[in-house]
Amino acid sequence: MIEIKDLHKSYQMGSNSLHVLKGINFSVKEGELVSIMGSSGSGKSTLLNILGMLDEADTGSYFLDGMPIKNLNEKIAAKYRNQFLGFIFQSFNLITYKNAIDNVALPLYYQGIKRKERIEKGMHYLSKVGLADWATHLPNELSGGQKQRVAIARALASEPKVLLADEPTGALDTKTSYEVMELIQGINDEGKTILIVTHEPDIADMTKRIVNLKDGVIIDDTIVKQVKAAAYV
Amino acid sequence: MFNIERWQEIFDAIGKNKLRTFLTGVSVASGIFILVLLLGVGQGMQNGIAKEFESDASNSIWVWTRTTSVEYKGLNPGREIIMTNQDYDFINRKNEKYLEYKSSRARDWGIVVSYKKESGSYGVEGIFPDFQMIENEEMISGRFINQNDIKERNKVVVIGNKVKKDLFKKDKDPIGELIRINDIPFMVVGVFHDKAGEREEDRVFVPSPIAQQIFSKGQGIDGLAYTLKPEKDFETAVRKSQEFVASMKGYLKEKHVISPEDKRAIGVNNSLKGAKRFYNLMFMIKTFFWWVGICTIIAGVVGVSNIMLIIVKERTKEIGIRKALGAQPGSIITMILQEAIFVTTIAGFTGLILGLTLLEFAGPMIQTNFIANPSVNFNVAITTVLILILAGALAGFFPAWRAVRIKPIVALRDE
Ligand SMILES: Nc1ncnc2c1ncn2[C@@H]1O[C@H](COP(=O)(O)OP(=O)(O)OP(=O)(O)O)[C@@H](O)[C@H]1O
Ligand SMILES: [Mg+2]
């Protein structure tokens, strides 16, 4: 599903350049649930943003579902993001003036789906994250966990091939984090490929594979035995 | 543009960002409102000043006849030329497009005018109602000769202020009194004042046909008086005036068999020199308000552009989110522009209508000599609104385009 080879990325800051990713080789197969760990500043978010086509690598190759992702024009990038990728951010990134259901239905608008169908589909995913009753609430009327569940429903609504989550539980307390992880595990069980960036070892243990990043290179990549979040909830 | 889904999305954004919509709307509407008022007051001042100085401006043309000076077609020089009512009617009909006010003059000097025991000798002039405007006579009391007096051949008279002072006691109101002209009773209907002073006030006006009758002139008239329609600039006024004079002289010379070389038989005097000053003044005023208008529009453009910049800035993160969800760059730009244009248009026309309404109702209530009929050229107003909408759209386009072009991750980081 994801294939990257010798990926490099530096940030230009004035005259200095900060080499963040120094040759990442990494692949993910369909249906995997991978966590990316590493100390702060090790380049986790940078990697995930490149995978999600929110940012671009300097050199190296990246194949998403067999397609080369390189020098795409913005139109095609938008189409790929819309069809293949779902994002879950630490800070939720919901549109503040849209209620839960409209947020969830928004990616469907960009798929050209008619309003009625958008709402139906959106409601389906909102129910899936247990927030059907909160459909008409604005983000600022929801708790952090609820916001993240809305964001997950939104990421799912476009039925992407890959879900990318950057510290999805970073802003949540432990109990809520486990609830969100339970949801993510459920989605993975249905066959979706998911990558999660996290700081927290207990969250990483709930995935099936842990990739450790240090100073821009992968220092460790191991399959782990998944801990079911349901046990803690 | 007519994509219903997109409009739904835009109305959603407008409806849910009431404050933003309101502030944009209010600033655009008030901008247009103020602009309309400014333009209106500018036009009003132009009208007011025009009215105030109109008398200098009106290009009045005076025509009289004398004896011929050149032999022509076997006729000796020294022949007396007398114009007639037919000449007057014909010239009027033929030159309708040039003429503003018109009157013929049938007059005599040294006519005895008396009221009871008082009497004096004055000029008596038979004229048409327009003569008041041509000579710019100001009524102190009563009215001027009117069309009805002409039609009914009323024996009515309008007397100069000096005549009034001579014949009537100080505080006696002459209106409705009978005075005698050549021993024929006339009813005084008005007293006029002339800016030129007493010299011009020691005459009386009676309806033209009456003067012809009492002075036994038959169809004969002594002179013609005209003003031409105001033109947009001095050069046009001069040209029109020359055209008219040429046409009139040509007709009179042919009709009365006068040599084209005869410089004396027909006298024409026109007052274009005064008009030159007036046209210069009007040009200055116009230029001034044109500048005021331009500056106001520039201020409006800057204001609207500023609002658009702020709106797009404020929406940068939203743009990032939409891009992460797979929005096409074009769809984001159209969304922002369509919303901006929609709000500016509604607000712009609201401001326009409010401004026009205020001018319509408050305009007539303004009581000063220097503002008259404040009004706005509708096309100018519409153009202004369109300019502001266009400026708003342009001002929205560039930052939107930039926001769309930056990497989504950069837009997302915007707080
Ligand atoms: N836009 C940017 N411009 C310049 N430097 C950047 C930018 N984004 C990230 N960096 C730098 O790149 C390095 C990696 O950043 P990244 O966000 O990928 O770290 P991270 O592993 O996600 O850290 P954290 O766990 O704190 O989120 C950091 O040193 C950071 O300062
Ligand atoms: Mg990070």
Side-chain angles (χ1 to χ4, degrees):
Chain A
M1 182 61 61
I2 289 175
E3 281 264 359
I4 53 178
K5 282 214 178 73
D6 201 25
L7 201 76
H8 285 262
K9 171 78 182 175
S10 333
Y11 285 113
Q12 225 58 45
M13 294 195 300
S15 52
N16 310 13
S17 117
L18 182 67
H19 202 169
V20 180
L21 298 181
K22 303 167 181 165
I24 305 275
N25 292 291
F26 171 64
S27 65
V28 178
K29 283 191 278 301
E30 190 163 358
E32 277 199 273
L33 174 53
V34 184
S35 57
I36 301 169
M37 293 197 69
S39 54
S40 186
S42 55
K44 304 182 294 293
S45 298
T46 306
L47 176 60
L48 200 76
N49 290 334
I50 291 171
L51 294 180
M53 299 165 62
L54 299 178
D55 204 347
E56 271 175 56
D58 299 332
T59 58
S61 70
Y62 170 24
F63 286 84
L64 174 62
D65 200 23
M67 286 169 307
I69 307 297
K70 183 95 190 167
N71 297 329
L72 297 180
N73 73 32
E74 185 52 39
K75 273 187 174 166
I76 296 177
K79 204 173 114 205
Y80 283 6
R81 270 183 226 123
N82 188 243
Q83 290 177 350
F84 298 124
L85 301 166
F87 292 98
I88 303 163
F89 303 93
Q90 180 176 359
S91 54
F92 322 125
N93 281 340
L94 297 175
I95 291 181
T96 49
Y97 65 81
K98 285 183 179 289
N99 63 24
I101 178 65
D102 286 343
N103 262 292
V104 173
L106 190 57
L108 302 172
Y109 170 73
Y110 291 116
Q111 289 184 345
I113 294 173
K114 292 262 171 293
R115 186 170 178 81
K116 191 161 161 284
E117 199 187 331
R118 290 207 299 269
I119 300 297
E120 272 169 20
K121 240 177 160 173
M123 275 313 287
H124 170 73
Y125 286 101
L126 213 47
S127 317
K128 203 174 165 100
V129 299
L131 288 178
D133 295 341
W134 297 81
T136 58
H137 287 250
L138 288 173
N140 63 12
E141 299 162 352
L142 301 173
S143 73
Q146 287 171 325
K147 278 188 229 180
Q148 197 57 296
R149 275 146 66 193
V150 172
I152 293 171
R154 180 178 67 182
L156 292 175
S158 61
E159 289 167 356
K161 295 211 157 91
V162 179
L163 264 188
L164 301 169
D166 193 352
E167 309 201 28
T169 60
L172 308 176
D173 64 28
T174 314
K175 186 173 169 292
T176 324
S177 297
Y178 292 163
E179 284 169 10
V180 166
M181 280 313 291
E182 190 191 2
L183 199 59
I184 289 176
Q185 285 178 337
I187 296 160
N188 176 244
D189 290 343
E190 288 170 15
K192 202 135 280 179
T193 314
I194 305 178
L195 271 77
I196 300 176
V197 165
T198 182
H199 272 332
E200 299 151 83
D202 52 338
I203 297 297
D205 286 340
M206 292 175 179
T207 64
K208 295 173 175 168
R209 172 182 165 196
I210 303 179
V211 173
N212 238 305
L213 222 58
K214 192 179 179 199
D215 293 332
V217 288
I218 295 176
I219 52 164
D220 185 53
D221 185 346
T222 39
I223 309 285
V224 294
K225 191 176 159 356
Q226 188 181 31
V227 177
K228 283 287 176 188
Y232 296 91
V233 180
Chain B
M1 204 59 180
F2 297 103
N3 181 331
I4 186 134
E5 295 281 326
R6 191 189 294 156
W7 276 113
Q8 276 170 348
E9 184 67 17
I10 285 164
F11 282 128
D12 194 41
I14 290 176
K16 285 172 180 159
N17 292 284
K18 291 206 179 64
L19 187 66
R20 179 174 81 205
T21 309
F22 177 78
L23 289 178
T24 317
V26 165
S27 46
V28 170
S30 59
I32 296 277
F33 179 76
I34 290 168
L35 188 81
V36 167
L37 288 193
L38 260 175
L39 288 175
V41 171
Q43 185 62 49
M45 278 182 79
Q46 219 163 296
N47 296 347
I49 291 172
K51 218 163 121 191
E52 201 68 8
F53 293 92
E54 211 165 33
S55 52
D56 300 346
S58 54
N59 175 14
S60 51
I61 294 182
W62 305 86
V63 186
W64 64 93
T65 47
R66 284 174 294 203
T67 53
T68 55
S69 63
V70 179
E71 188 214 311
Y72 187 56
K73 289 192 174 168
L75 295 166
N76 288 331
R79 187 165 45 97
E80 193 172 356
I81 302 297
I82 295 174
M83 291 182 286
T84 62
N85 290 348
Q86 286 73 31
D87 294 337
Y88 173 66
D89 290 339
F90 185 88
I91 291 170
N92 292 351
R93 236 178 305 122
K94 196 169 165 219
N95 297 289
E96 220 178 309
K97 61 175 192 282
Y98 299 110
L99 301 179
E100 184 183 35
Y101 297 118
K102 52 188 180 288
S103 175
S104 65
R105 315 171 78 188
R107 54 181 173 165
D108 245 325
W109 286 277
I111 304 297
V112 175
V113 177
S114 63
Y115 173 68
K116 293 194 177 150
K117 285 196 196 81
E118 307 290 336
S119 77
S121 91
Y122 305 101
V124 174
E125 206 159 328
I127 44 69
F128 285 93
D130 279 4
F131 199 74
Q132 183 191 0
M133 272 66 81
I134 301 173
E135 264 284 51
N136 208 22
E137 308 294 27
E138 195 181 305
M139 299 311 294
I140 295 175
S141 63
R143 61 169 178 82
F144 203 73
I145 304 294
N146 64 25
Q147 202 54 48
N148 198 44
D149 298 330
I150 305 283
K151 212 172 80 203
E152 307 282 332
R153 305 172 75 92
N154 291 334
K155 295 225 168 49
V156 292
V157 60
V158 175
I159 62 175
N161 201 26
K162 174 161 191 303
V163 179
K164 183 212 153 190
K165 281 187 208 155
D166 291 348
L167 298 186
F168 292 87
K169 298 222 167 53
K170 212 172 177 189
D171 34 36
K172 173 114 178 109
D173 181 12
I175 306 295
E177 298 296 320
L178 288 180
I179 62 174
R180 290 174 168 274
I181 301 173
N182 269 358
D183 235 11
I184 302 164
F186 279 76
M187 188 170 76
V188 177
V189 291
V191 180
F192 72 87
H193 162 75
D194 193 298
K195 278 192 183 128
E198 296 213 328
R199 191 168 49 81
E200 296 280 349
E201 283 175 2
D202 68 347
R203 52 181 173 164
V204 302
F205 295 120
V206 298
S208 169
I210 302 292
Q212 284 176 325
Q213 183 190 329
I214 62 175
F215 299 136
S216 314
K217 286 176 187 285
Q219 295 284 307
I221 51 183
D222 301 300
L224 306 173
Y226 293 107
T227 61
L228 300 192
K229 289 177 182 150
E231 298 297 337
K232 62 179 188 303
D233 57 50
F234 185 66
E235 283 65 38
T236 321
V238 170
R239 189 165 49 76
K240 291 281 160 93
S241 153
Q242 283 166 347
E243 279 171 21
F244 169 64
V245 169
S247 147
M248 176 187 62
K249 265 188 167 170
Y251 162 76
L252 286 175
K253 283 189 169 173
E254 187 175 339
K255 174 85 188 302
H256 294 273
V257 201
I258 302 166
S259 159
E261 272 80 58
D262 196 328
K263 295 248 184 311
R264 196 177 75 180
I266 296 167
V268 176
N269 181 18
N270 71 35
S271 60
L272 268 173
K273 281 195 194 67
K276 172 106 188 146
R277 277 211 317 276
F278 170 80
Y279 282 107
N280 282 345
L281 179 68
M282 288 315 286
F283 177 76
M284 270 157 57
I285 295 169
K286 266 199 187 122
T287 315
F288 174 71
F289 278 103
W290 198 74
W291 263 109
V292 171
I294 294 277
C295 293
T296 321
I297 291 176
I298 290 175
V301 166
V302 170
V304 170
S305 309
N306 225 353
I307 296 167
M308 289 305 151
L309 283 174
I310 293 168
I311 286 179
V312 175
K313 183 89 194 67
E314 188 204 63
R315 297 184 77 170
T316 305
K317 193 184 174 92
E318 182 192 337
I319 291 173
I321 296 173
R322 286 175 184 270
K323 283 188 80 172
L325 298 180
Q328 292 289 337
S331 91
I332 292 177
I333 293 178
T334 26
M335 172 186 77
I336 289 178
L337 289 192
Q338 224 163 303
E339 180 185 324
I341 291 171
F342 180 78
V343 174
T344 344
T345 306
I346 300 278
F349 282 99
T350 308
L352 180 70
I353 289 164
L354 287 180
L356 291 179
T357 313
L358 184 69
L359 281 184
E360 190 66 30
F361 287 101
M365 291 194 277
I366 296 174
Q367 296 290 351
T368 136
N369 282 344
F370 282 95
I371 298 181
N373 298 326
S375 61
V376 172
N377 180 322
F378 196 68
N379 288 338
V380 170
I382 294 275
T383 312
T384 310
V385 175
L386 292 183
I387 288 178
L388 288 203
I389 293 170
L390 195 72
L394 269 181
F397 175 78
F398 288 107
W401 193 59
R402 230 195 63 230
V404 162
R405 270 170 51 100
I406 58 177
K407 288 185 208 153
I409 192 66
V410 179
L412 275 173
R413 258 192 225 115
D414 190 89
E415 278 309 328

